Amino acid sequence: MSEYYWDQQIEYLQNTRWLYYNDDYLNFLVRGVWKIDSPVNLVDFGCGFGYLGLKLLPLLPKGSSYTGLEKGKELIQRAREIFADLPFPTEFIPCDIEAIHMESRYDIALSHAFLLHMTDSKKILQKMIDSVRDQGRVICFEPHWIANASNYALDGVDQSDVMRLGELQKLYELDARRTGKNGNIGMLLPILFSQLGLKDVECRVSDKVNFLDQNMDGVKKDALYRSLREEGLGQIPGDLEETISHLIQRGLSHVEAREQVEAERRFAAVFSEQSWLTYAPNMKITFGTRYCN
């Protein structure tokens, strides 16, 4: 098995991406917002198993093509297997995106939940900009973790008992300062897009809300519950003292760390397949246009 972390997370990626978007909303973006009415060639930075290609290619004009750039060799292999029998022109290139040189040959550059893992997201954004032609578009689907964390409702539970937004916000900000990796990048991207010279910058929010409904079909409920668990909802923290120590190393006080762990334990204790829960991942979709002249 590959030592690359995301090569070991393929099943997680495939089981959770469907929580993020409604197909009709993506169709609305393609046709009503971006108004793509002629074939385009896409390049996806950190494509994983080709998720964005799977979602967008069926919505795009016939003749559109998709190129995926990905460091994980097993992810690339899975993508090639998935697309082998599909009627779309695709290419998957194993590469180190932080080192690759990009030529201006694509109509649209994409990323999905990728920039938040980069230590220098502006550098990667510049590569994305460099990869598109004059009047080409850059589109990034990226999270804003603190908004994500606030978008839960668990029946019979006060959110503040299971979700410590203050401690989480502090953790996310400290982690970004220390590592450069920013889970809140979704809300920063419009600013970065404009600062890097893109024009007509806009940002939308995915309208997907997942509803664990006790009156829904049992098979669908089981599938949703399992995906929510894989996404991390109600995840049981490890050893109490070790977890507290780790949070203190990341910058929380001892009191904050203990409160955070206790909140996670309460969430794990009350969240089950019999719960009524709504959860909106609240993914941000930022786009802008490159003008070379």
Side-chain angles (χ1 to χ4, degrees):
M1 186 69 173
S2 168
E3 294 184 1
Y4 179 60
Y5 175 78
W6 290 106
D7 271 343
Q8 302 171 43
Q9 302 297 316
I10 296 175
E11 297 307 315
Y12 156 75
L13 293 172
Q14 290 188 302
N15 291 340
T16 57
R17 303 300 92 168
W18 70 283
L19 298 172
Y20 298 166
Y21 310 100
N22 290 309
D23 288 343
D24 57 358
Y25 186 70
L26 293 175
N27 186 54
F28 162 70
L29 289 174
V30 168
R31 300 185 181 181
V33 178
W34 301 326
K35 296 180 170 40
I36 302 173
D37 54 12
S38 58
V40 290
N41 59 338
L42 314 174
V43 59
D44 186 359
F45 285 68
C47 68
F49 63 88
Y51 170 75
L52 280 183
L54 288 171
K55 301 304 287 185
L56 295 178
L57 282 170
L59 305 175
L60 294 169
K62 187 177 180 179
S64 295
S65 65
Y66 175 80
T67 298
L69 308 178
E70 172 59 53
K71 185 175 182 178
K73 294 181 180 178
E74 294 195 29
L75 280 163
I76 286 283
Q77 181 59 33
R78 180 66 64 90
R80 288 171 175 160
E81 292 169 358
I82 290 171
F83 282 85
D85 296 323
L86 297 179
F88 307 114
T90 59
E91 180 182 14
F92 294 95
I93 302 172
C95 63
D96 181 352
I97 292 173
E98 293 181 276
I100 192 172
H101 171 72
M102 300 301 301
E103 296 182 357
S104 304
R105 55 184 294 252
Y106 297 97
D107 298 305
I108 298 175
L110 305 162
S111 78
H112 184 272
F114 173 67
L115 293 176
L116 78 158
H117 300 297
M118 297 292 99
T119 57
D120 189 347
S121 54
K122 288 185 76 171
K123 177 182 176 181
I124 304 301
L125 267 176
Q126 187 61 60
K127 287 179 182 287
M128 295 178 72
I129 294 168
D130 292 343
S131 74
V132 297
R133 302 183 177 101
D134 181 38
Q135 299 185 51
R137 209 181 251 128
V138 177
I139 305 174
C140 295
F141 299 72
E142 296 285 343
H144 181 227
W145 277 354
I146 197 61
N148 175 297
S150 69
N151 276 285
Y152 294 87
L154 184 58
D155 186 48
V157 178
D158 290 334
Q159 189 188 27
S160 59
D161 284 341
V162 297
M163 194 66 61
R164 305 294 295 177
L165 295 178
E167 281 85 358
L168 287 172
Q169 187 170 27
K170 181 176 179 180
L171 272 177
Y172 300 154
E173 292 170 351
L174 289 171
D175 285 347
R177 206 171 297 150
R178 186 179 68 255
T179 68
K181 300 177 182 181
N182 191 348
N184 288 322
I185 196 168
M187 284 297 280
L188 289 174
L189 283 177
I191 298 169
L192 296 179
F193 272 39
S194 187
Q195 289 177 345
L196 290 172
L198 291 171
K199 305 297 182 184
D200 307 321
V201 176
E202 296 184 40
C203 184
R204 301 293 179 109
V205 182
S206 171
D207 67 350
K208 179 78 170 187
V209 179
N210 299 284
F211 178 29
L212 187 63
D213 180 3
Q214 293 309 306
N215 292 320
M216 72 193 300
D217 173 80
V219 174
K220 292 181 179 178
K221 185 178 76 167
D222 180 68
L224 176 57
Y225 175 73
R226 290 178 183 276
S227 290
L228 292 169
R229 278 288 190 183
E230 283 199 67
E231 182 72 352
L233 278 73
Q235 192 171 51
I236 301 172
D239 176 81
L240 178 63
E241 294 307 320
E242 283 186 13
T243 306
I244 288 174
S245 176
H246 179 63
L247 291 173
I248 291 172
Q249 290 173 18
R250 290 171 62 190
L252 294 187
S253 69
H254 188 276
V255 171
E256 290 169 333
R258 180 170 289 276
E259 288 179 348
Q260 174 60 27
V261 174
E262 290 175 350
E264 291 177 14
R265 289 190 162 195
R266 286 193 293 269
F267 198 162
V270 298
F271 181 48
S272 73
E273 195 167 354
Q274 284 68 54
S275 297
W276 297 79
L277 175 134
T278 51
Y279 163 57
N282 208 239
M283 292 290 284
K284 305 300 187 292
I285 306 160
T286 302
F287 48 96
T289 302
R290 180 188 189 190
Y291 293 99
C292 298
N293 299 318

